[in-house]
Amino acid sequence: MKKKIYRMLVLIAALAIFFTVVFVTLVYYELFRAQILDDLRTFVLLVKEEAQSGQVERLGEEIAGNGMRLTLTDRDGNVVFDSEADQSRMENHGARPEIAEAAATGEGRAVRRSATLSESTFYYAVRLEDGGVLRVAKDAGSIYSIFARALPFVGMVLAILMALCMLVAHVLTVKLISPIERLAENLDEYNDSGSYEELTPFVRMIQKQHQDIVKNAQMRQEFTANVSHELKTPLTAISGYAELIENGMAEQEDVVRFAHGIHNSAGRLLTLINDIIRLSELDGTEREWSMERLDLYDLASACVEMLALSAEKHHVTIALLGTRESYILGNKQMIEELLYNLCDNAIRYNNEGGSVTVQVCHRRRGTLLLVKDTGIGIPKEHQERIFERFYRVDKSRSKSTGGTGLGLAIVKHIVARHGASLELESEAGKGTTIQVSFPEYRFNS
Ligand code: ADP
């Protein structure tokens, strides 16, 4: 790219110089030509009187040294006098353009190429009172010779200008490219000063993408570390119990207890792995989720029914309120999971004797789902983070109630997949309300 810019600049400069030289030469030649013809005219008008009074020969001698030539014809175009040739041998000049023009209009002019390319002959003619024509001629450089004469000078200027252009092109390309090179060397510490502003939006975009990539990589790494850690605890327990049984160190009554421990830990592993698989499915873009018309009220009702037993165990009441036939466009499995995670949390983080209210209703702009509990609430400082993977306010409570720390991360993903929005309202000690607003669903039926 550097070479390309450099070559283009030099090419543009060379073309500009070439055309300027051609144009300027043409203009100057035109001025030069007009000037010579004008001089010849002044001269011929000055000597007209003398020529008429028969002094043309003397005049001819006088001007011979100045490189000029004088010719006199009679009214029929026959040459009466010529300062350079023998008039008796000269053909009739009546048809020469400048003489014909002078005979017709009083004055005539012409420029003709000489025998050599490098010279042109300039003619100016005036009609005399007796009808004859007096013509003065002068050889001068042709446009080619002027070009040729100007060539060394032009060449020199061209060389100097080209050298200058090459220098400027070099400086320019270096200047143009250096911010990009600097950027490539150190993307994060790049700042606007010293570069051109057109690059700024581009840099900002790349920086943002770069930061996102780094953040993503960090998150993945953290997630992997967390997953390993989470898996380790139940596996260690299983391995411990199994070892005790294997070594015959467990009494008959302990074996049942240990088997129960193994069962619990294995169950925990299964839930954890299920949640991880769910998350990675939701993260990926490969899978196409089929969307259909769903009655959110129906699904909420099924979920409340399913969790009734768990609520009873926690001494919590659970109730469903709202409007039947509240439709949304969604993936059934995902919405069931969202409902389950929200209601399950509302039961697990509740107080004995507390309540959970699930509400589904229509709004002008869509369908709302509210899951409200009178539980332990979430302190302000944790509210932003509870949707992160493995983030828990109270780890032991989460674990003891079978939590994985992934439920709300899954909810957040599902909400995003449905183009819905999520709001959390909670006060420590009083309770929590989570609201999901689904976009309006129009259907033809
Ligand atoms: P977990 O499996 O631990 O419940 P979640 O992702 O579902 O994980 O929730 C993350 C954390 O948010 C929980 O550990 C808990 O501290 C807090 N939390 C979630 N829902 C509620 C709620 N309804 N009331 C109080 N705290 C809650």
Side-chain angles (χ1 to χ4, degrees):
M1 163 144 143
K2 213 168 174 173
K3 272 201 186 127
K4 211 168 162 185
I5 294 176
Y6 178 73
R7 255 186 264 139
M8 276 308 279
L9 280 173
V10 170
L11 183 72
I12 290 170
L15 280 177
I17 292 169
F18 174 74
F19 283 114
T20 312
V21 166
V22 169
F23 180 72
V24 167
T25 313
L26 283 175
V27 167
Y28 272 99
Y29 186 71
E30 211 32 58
L31 288 175
F32 168 75
R33 192 178 131 110
Q35 184 64 49
I36 289 190
L37 285 169
D38 217 42
D39 287 351
L40 289 180
R41 179 174 184 265
T42 316
F43 176 77
V44 81
L45 287 176
L46 260 171
V47 302
K48 184 177 159 189
E49 293 305 320
E50 284 177 74
Q52 271 174 349
S53 56
Q55 298 183 45
V56 70
E57 278 173 32
R58 190 183 57 76
L59 273 172
E61 280 165 23
E62 265 178 30
I63 64 166
N66 298 342
M68 287 210 268
R69 175 183 174 190
L70 208 59
T71 313
L72 182 67
T73 70
D74 64 12
R75 61 185 315 145
D76 300 323
N78 298 314
V79 180
V80 181
F81 170 77
D82 189 276
S83 64
E84 281 187 9
D86 180 0
Q87 61 266 25
S88 60
R89 289 215 214 124
M90 287 170 77
E91 55 180 354
N92 187 295
H93 269 40
R96 301 282 159 103
E98 68 282 6
I99 292 179
E101 194 189 342
T105 66
E107 289 182 20
R109 66 179 70 194
V111 180
R112 280 196 288 279
R113 182 102 26 98
S114 304
T116 61
L117 255 187
S118 65
E119 296 256 292
S120 287
T121 310
F122 293 72
Y123 299 95
Y124 206 94
V126 286
R127 189 176 61 204
L128 303 179
E129 271 151 29
D130 63 0
V133 171
L134 178 66
R135 182 185 79 172
V136 63
K138 185 175 169 63
D139 283 343
S142 69
I143 186 145
Y144 302 104
S145 73
I146 291 196
F147 254 135
R149 252 181 278 161
L151 220 56
F153 174 70
V154 167
M156 208 169 71
V157 173
L158 209 74
I160 295 172
L161 279 178
M162 285 301 280
L164 261 176
C165 274
M166 280 156 96
L167 188 76
V168 170
H170 178 73
V171 172
L172 263 180
T173 41
V174 166
K175 224 179 148 182
L176 209 70
I177 301 297
S178 76
I180 300 174
E181 283 177 342
R182 255 191 297 144
L183 179 68
E185 275 164 22
N186 198 343
L187 191 63
D188 290 328
E189 278 166 32
Y190 174 89
N191 58 18
D192 305 342
S193 60
S195 76
Y196 35 96
E197 60 189 54
E198 288 82 354
L199 201 62
T200 308
F202 175 67
V203 174
R204 293 271 166 273
M205 199 181 79
I206 296 184
Q207 275 178 337
K208 173 133 198 337
Q209 280 178 355
H210 186 239
Q211 280 162 3
D212 284 352
I213 291 170
V214 172
K215 216 166 101 187
N216 254 333
Q218 260 170 6
M219 266 168 60
R220 265 169 215 281
Q221 208 177 6
E222 246 170 61
F223 183 64
T224 318
N226 279 333
V227 167
S228 319
H229 181 77
E230 296 285 335
L231 293 176
K232 224 167 145 182
T233 323
L235 276 174
T236 314
I238 291 173
S239 163
Y241 289 132
E243 199 183 352
L244 288 175
I245 298 170
E246 190 184 27
N247 295 342
M249 286 168 77
E251 299 291 326
Q252 193 50 43
E253 65 266 29
D254 288 337
V255 172
V256 177
R257 201 159 50 83
F258 291 173
H260 180 71
I262 292 174
H263 187 197
N264 265 352
S265 295
R268 182 158 176 71
L269 274 179
L270 275 179
T271 357
L272 203 62
I273 288 166
N274 266 337
D275 276 0
I276 293 166
I277 291 173
R278 273 323 264 156
L279 257 183
S280 80
E281 273 178 353
L282 285 162
D283 253 349
T285 46
E286 310 86 50
R287 185 160 167 187
E288 272 284 317
W289 297 91
S290 61
M291 295 294 208
E292 56 186 317
R293 182 169 77 123
L294 303 171
D295 183 348
L296 191 61
Y297 187 90
D298 263 0
L299 294 178
S301 158
C303 178
V304 166
E305 225 169 89
M306 182 168 63
L307 283 169
L309 201 67
S310 161
E312 214 174 285
K313 261 202 237 164
H314 286 85
H315 307 285
V316 169
T317 59
I318 182 162
L320 172 66
L321 301 176
T323 337
R324 284 175 190 283
E325 299 187 3
S326 291
Y327 292 105
I328 60 163
L329 179 69
N331 177 276
K332 189 158 180 256
Q333 198 189 347
M334 280 206 249
I335 297 298
E336 280 172 349
E337 201 156 344
L338 174 133
L339 282 163
Y340 179 87
N341 284 345
L342 291 180
C343 297
D344 185 46
N345 280 353
I347 295 169
R348 283 166 44 230
Y349 301 107
N350 221 314
N351 299 314
E352 230 172 86
S355 69
V356 175
T357 318
V358 182
Q359 197 176 346
V360 176
C361 59
H362 276 311
R363 282 286 144 84
R364 212 156 15 115
R365 293 178 152 255
T367 305
L368 283 189
L369 165 73
L370 285 146
V371 180
K372 196 172 173 179
D373 66 60
T374 56
I376 60 170
I378 304 156
K380 275 267 171 307
E381 64 271 24
H382 297 286
Q383 288 185 5
E384 266 209 5
R385 303 202 55 192
I386 55 161
F387 294 95
E388 288 172 19
R389 294 163 185 201
F390 294 117
Y391 191 86
R392 297 142 161 144
V393 179
D394 176 351
K395 209 163 182 161
S396 61
R397 176 157 187 158
S398 160
K399 282 196 171 169
S400 67
T401 51
T404 58
L406 293 174
L408 287 183
I410 292 173
V411 165
K412 192 175 150 190
H413 265 290
I414 295 176
V415 164
R417 290 256 170 180
H418 285 79
S421 63
L422 196 72
E423 261 174 61
L424 168 80
E425 225 185 276
S426 183
E427 202 178 319
K430 289 215 166 146
T432 304
T433 304
I434 291 185
Q435 176 184 314
V436 184
S437 322
F438 291 92
E440 188 181 14
Y441 175 59
R442 293 168 194 274
F443 60 96
N444 308 317
S445 64

